[in-house]
Amino acid sequence: MAGQLWGVNARGGYMFSENLSDYLRMSVQPRAIFRQFCQVPEDAVDLGLHRGGTYTWNVYSNIQTRGRRVAEADPAPESNFTITQASATVYEIMNTVPYTGQLEMLAEHDLISIIDKTLRLDAAKAFDIEAFLQFDDCLNRVAPTGGTSTTAVTRTTNGSTATENNVALSTGHVKSISDAMREANVPPFVDNDYICLTHPSTLRSFANELESINQYTQAGIGMVYAGEKGRYEGFRFVEQTNIPKGGAIDSTTFDPYTDTADAWNQGKSSWAFFFGDDTVIEPIVVPEEMRAKLPGDYGRDKGMGYYYLGCFAGVHETDYTQGRIWKWDSSQ
């Protein structure tokens, strides 16, 4: 049995011993960050059961020919717009912890509440990984020009970059990315600000230059996101530690599911996502819920798990001109 057992100390036996502390001490856990920036479409909040396994949405283009002045005798101008349809297939996300009836009856700590807590922590990380994978599918990539420029960035639009990143992310890069995203008419995420999401050490070179959260919330911005560090040049910077570092274009070992990092060859920086509004959606059929396994073997075989039916999908990431997510990246 792969679950929790009374007869193995590390898998249950330690839950009763002389003078066992009542305080539950959990392993270090990162906070879930990516999922808070996904949006549940209003028409998908109650997507519900028995409506098929595919969620479809339309993306409408701008008017193809802009309006213009017309003389009194001129005919009225005519134009059109195009419709692009995209879809996502829902899938299941789950994990379980089986345990024996003997362990439940003999354990001094409340076994059910412990399993419940560990599963909830695992679920948060599982959903963060699913959201990250959609962010990581973005077509727009930026890297320092020539690999070493501290002010200029080179943008590519095919989901890759040929530039080996050999410099720390700096305020000069942020300014260039901010200008490029605004000139590309990427809509801000909140108020007039974009979001930058990355690791604490990736921001280290200019962390002291970030406006304090207290300073700019007093100025009228009320919403503060989990992990938010500060604000600079129209970006609100958010730190996360759930997804590992690295994973350059040439990486074959980077794996968020196993928390396997693969640092960029030069080791000067790591990935960062800069994004605006309407990035990743989360159509939900069955929201995450805790479920108990039906007892087997006369009540001796038990278990708990979480279950979710839905999906995460990038909204505009089939057309770089409409892409809302830009990734600070490296070729190796």
Side-chain angles (χ1 to χ4, degrees), residues 252-268:
T252 59
T253 59
F254 177 82
D255 187 351
Y257 286 111
T258 59
D259 200 28
T260 302
D262 182 14
W264 293 353
N265 284 7
Q266 299 299 329
K268 302 288 182 61

Side-chain angles (χ1 to χ4, degrees), residues 117-144:
K117 185 172 184 178
T118 55
L119 283 171
R120 290 178 187 275
L121 292 170
D122 182 75
K125 289 182 280 188
F127 295 129
D128 237 21
I129 291 171
E130 294 297 326
F132 163 80
L133 293 175
Q134 296 304 314
F135 275 81
D136 200 42
D137 267 348
C138 64
L139 293 175
N140 288 291
R141 308 293 173 116
V142 288

Side-chain angles (χ1 to χ4, degrees), residues 3 48 88 94 100 104 107 117 137-138 155 218 232 235 237 266-268 297 305 308 316-317 331:
M94 61 186 303
T100 65
E104 181 182 19
K117 185 172 184 178
D137 267 348
C138 64
R155 173 191 176 192
Q218 287 183 348
Y232 180 81
F235 280 100
F237 290 85
Q266 299 299 329
K268 302 288 182 61
D297 195 18
Y308 165 95
H316 298 281
E317 295 311 317
S331 62

Side-chain angles (χ1 to χ4, degrees), residues 269-286:
S269 191
S270 187
W271 58 258
F273 292 101
F274 298 82
F275 55 91
D277 191 30
D278 206 17
T279 54
V280 173
I281 57 173
E282 183 189 354
I284 299 173
V285 178
V286 178

